[in-house]
Amino acid sequence: MASQDAVASPPADQSRLESLVSEFQGCVYRNVAGYDAKYFPRRVLAHANQPIALGSPPELLSWLHEFQTQQRGTAANKFILHDVKGGFSGTLDQSLCLVRDTGPKSETSRSDADVLLLGLFQTETTCHKDEAAMLRFFYVSMRVFAALPDRPFLHAFCISKSTMETWIFDRAGAYSGEAFDIVQEPDRFRNIIMAYMTMNDNGLGLNTALQQDDQGVFLELGGPRLSVEAEAFVKPDSLVGPGTTCFKARMPGSSDQTLVVKFSWEQGQMPAEQKLLAFANERRVWGLPQLQGCRYLGDIAALRQGLQFDQPFELSLPPLNTEDAGEPRQRADPESTPDTPSSKENAVSGVAKLETKSKFDNLNFLQAFSIAT
């Protein structure tokens, strides 16, 4: 339910909100049991007694830097202020993004692809109560995800005044932990921040199949090391779904990018596309890429293991204009959206078992490697 003081949206923003509701309806879970225990195990922090500054994003950033200094030697990542490309008109959100602590590197040179984790600081809206603000937060998170589309998931959080809600976005949707008041539970906030700053690549949801050094991005398959183009030439246009992402690659010593590396979330460990391509290769069909292999990298069930999901959160649209603000808001019709699961659901450990199973609930993360002909 949205707050009564929700800000009405311009038509262009309204269309974007409608698209977000259509994509995420039936795929959002809030206050998921086991979330904090899985991602933020309790730890002993050094000198964790400095009052937390929540007056503005720059003030909080200053506190975060001081907190990191106190914990020096244990934090490999740091927070910066960063403007994520693309957003909604008239929003007052500012992004506190986690990036690699690379020392003297200029913070202004950071791109969305450098963002390891997204945090939004809101002083005028309440993301955990106002669905329009929450959908805007979803959109910015999707923009960060799109900058690195082969990543399995993205950590994010939203601070609304003094209330914090932590989130994870993956190819099956989004889910959050319990919202809490930072002023009332400062140690909990410090513990979460420390967990973020010390997460490794797997914990931050990066695709560890692709690696990078001073020579660029590369992939090792047990044989020659393949040089991979940093920018994907095929990218998904949505978050929820297979997330198909393809990179051009080349063999060592060659300047010809005759190889394609594909990452996607599929049903089964050898989806139909790869089976058909392998069959066509066996029959020596001319003009098709030669499939060299398909490797299993993980799945949604493993990513969500240990969590308990209740009924999905039902999204609704904000008013179109100020004249409509007093009218009841129309909820999106789940029946009109393909692959939207039933709202009836049992709370289970792992991926939520829906009465009508969504095709995105248990996807396998696969890597395929082909040679273009």
Side-chain angles (χ1 to χ4, degrees):
M1 181 71 68
S3 61
Q4 293 181 350
D5 58 350
V7 178
S9 304
D13 288 352
Q14 183 75 10
S15 176
R16 188 173 290 165
L17 291 172
E18 290 173 356
S19 177
L20 288 168
V21 170
S22 177
E23 177 168 356
F24 280 98
Q25 191 70 275
C27 301
V28 177
Y29 298 86
R30 304 183 75 174
N31 195 17
V32 172
Y35 188 102
D36 278 22
K38 181 179 178 71
Y39 300 112
F40 312 123
R42 291 288 180 179
R43 64 187 71 201
V44 177
L45 303 177
H47 311 292
N49 53 10
Q50 183 181 3
I52 301 168
L54 294 171
S56 66
E59 288 181 30
L60 179 56
L61 181 65
S62 178
W63 180 90
L64 289 168
H65 286 170
E66 178 63 25
F67 180 71
Q68 182 183 24
T69 300
Q70 293 174 344
Q71 312 301 321
R72 180 57 63 189
T74 58
N77 312 312
K78 67 177 181 179
F79 284 93
I80 63 170
L81 287 178
H82 173 72
D83 292 329
V84 178
K85 295 180 181 179
F88 286 81
S89 59
T91 57
L92 300 176
D93 309 341
Q94 292 197 39
S95 300
L96 287 160
C97 297
L98 191 73
V99 297
R100 287 278 182 256
D101 190 352
T102 54
K105 181 176 181 179
S106 172
E107 307 306 351
T108 58
S109 66
R110 303 284 189 171
S111 68
D112 291 352
D114 291 321
V115 176
L116 306 174
L117 174 147
L118 172 70
L120 249 61
F121 190 107
Q122 302 175 321
T123 56
E124 300 298 326
T125 57
T126 52
C127 186
H128 65 293
K129 293 182 179 179
D130 182 351
E131 288 181 34
M134 183 175 72
L135 287 169
R136 291 186 177 96
F137 167 61
F138 280 17
Y139 181 77
V140 177
S141 299
M142 289 173 64
R143 296 288 298 183
V144 172
F145 209 121
L148 212 60
D150 57 305
R151 68 187 306 160
F153 63 91
L154 170 72
H155 277 281
F157 65 82
C158 184
I159 297 177
S160 304
K161 300 177 181 178
S162 66
T163 300
M164 181 181 198
E165 188 171 14
T166 53
W167 288 85
I168 283 184
F169 294 84
D170 61 25
R171 291 298 177 187
Y175 55 98
S176 74
E178 178 189 26
F180 69 98
D181 191 306
I182 297 173
V183 175
Q184 299 297 322
E185 299 183 74
D187 288 343
R188 183 177 178 182
F189 175 74
R190 295 186 183 100
N191 190 71
I192 289 173
I193 293 300
M194 192 62 197
Y196 284 149
M197 291 196 299
T198 56
M199 284 179 177
N200 60 20
D201 289 353
N202 284 319
L204 288 165
L206 301 181
N207 179 9
T208 55
L210 292 181
Q211 303 176 58
Q212 187 170 5
D213 59 14
D214 56 358
Q215 300 298 312
V217 181
F218 64 92
L219 176 69
E220 291 184 334
L221 296 172
R225 184 169 118 164
L226 307 181
S227 296
V228 181
E229 189 77 12
E231 185 75 13
F233 73 95
V234 173
K235 300 178 182 180
D237 57 6
S238 61
L239 176 71
V240 179
T244 302
T245 306
C246 298
F247 297 87
K248 296 178 181 179
R250 57 184 173 82
M251 296 293 289
S254 173
S255 59
D256 297 329
Q257 294 178 323
T258 58
L259 313 178
V260 174
V261 179
K262 171 185 172 181
F263 296 94
S264 61
W265 293 82
E266 308 282 356
Q267 293 282 355
Q269 295 191 19
M270 185 67 168
E273 179 187 5
Q274 274 77 27
K275 289 180 180 178
L276 289 173
L277 191 55
F279 179 78
N281 292 162
E282 288 177 4
R283 297 297 187 272
R284 300 182 182 277
V285 177
W286 182 84
L288 294 178
Q290 298 176 18
L291 179 66
Q292 299 298 301
C294 184
R295 183 168 61 162
Y296 166 82
L297 300 177
D299 56 60
I300 292 294
L303 291 179
R304 298 185 173 192
Q305 186 177 10
L307 304 176
Q308 294 183 339
F309 293 79
D310 207 332
Q311 293 186 357
F313 180 79
E314 187 177 359
L315 298 169
S316 58
L317 292 172
L320 180 60
N321 52 51
T322 52
E323 285 78 13
D324 296 334
E327 298 296 323
R329 300 200 308 176
Q330 249 187 337
R331 293 194 174 270
D333 180 10
E335 297 299 325
S336 66
T337 305
D339 307 311
T340 298
S342 164
S343 61
K344 294 183 179 180
E345 171 188 15
N346 296 320
V348 294
S349 179
V351 177
K353 185 177 181 181
L354 304 173
E355 187 176 83
T356 303
K357 187 175 178 61
S358 166
K359 71 176 183 180
F360 303 126
D361 277 344
N362 194 11
L363 300 176
N364 293 313
F365 190 33
L366 304 177
Q367 170 201 299
F369 167 46
S370 305
I371 300 178
T373 57

